[in-house]
């Protein structure tokens, strides 16, 4: 069974503005205090590397592959953490009308260890992702 943690935020900006912020991997530290030192390439099968600093968890290096991406709409990163744990990190941009978007920012854990990890750290990850969404909103609207 999969477990999902997601935060959604309304942003008064065009999807292009939001996408340009998300696609600037080296600039993630401007709005994402928990996933930074990001490098790599947004391309099908591309490698994305980052340092993860979630509250209450030790700092760790994460190596993702781009599972899916669509400019102005979504970035999906996949990380295998052993054969019993898989994480799918995503940012989705839905433009309701020009200049008004909903951005979903979340993660899906699968596998036995993924479910246990999710249950143990859900509250901290949910709060971190809510802060990430709010920071993205402020930057995009500013």
């Amino acid at each position: 069974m999969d477990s999902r943690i997601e935060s959604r935020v309304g942003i008064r900006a065009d999807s292009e503005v939001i996408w340009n912020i998300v696609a600037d991997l080296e600039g993630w530290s401007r709005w994402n205090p928990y996933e930074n030192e990001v490098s790599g390439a947004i391309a099908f099968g591309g490698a994305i590397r980052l340092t993860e600093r979630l509250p209450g968890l030790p700092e760790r290096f994460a190596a993702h592959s781009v599972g899916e991406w669509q400019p102005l709409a979504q970035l999906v990163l996949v990380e295998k953490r052993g054969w019993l744990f898989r994480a799918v990190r995503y940012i989705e941009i839905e433009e309701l009308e020009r200049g008004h978007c909903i951005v979903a920012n979340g993660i899906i854990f699968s596998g036995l260890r993924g479910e246990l990890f999710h249950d143990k750290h859900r509250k901290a990850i949910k709060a971190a992702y809510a802060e990430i969404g709010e920071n993205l909103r402020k930057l995009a609207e500013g």
Side-chain angles (χ1 to χ4, degrees), residues 37-54:
E37 299 171 14
V38 182
S39 64
I42 298 176
F44 289 108
I48 305 283
R49 294 162 298 283
L50 58 88
T51 301
E52 186 179 81
R53 295 178 178 99
L54 291 168

Side-chain angles (χ1 to χ4, degrees), residues 3-4 6 15 37-38 42 50 54 56 60-61 70 74 83 87 94 97 104-105 110 118 121 125 129 134-135 138 140:
S3 300
R4 177 187 303 253
E6 181 178 274
S15 58
E37 299 171 14
V38 182
I42 298 176
L50 58 88
L54 291 168
R60 70 180 198 89
F61 173 78
Q70 180 180 356
Q74 71 175 346
W83 63 279
E94 179 183 359
E97 61 181 57
N105 162 44
S110 61
H118 168 268
H121 302 290
I125 295 170
Y129 285 7
E134 185 60 22
N135 291 346
K138 288 176 185 175

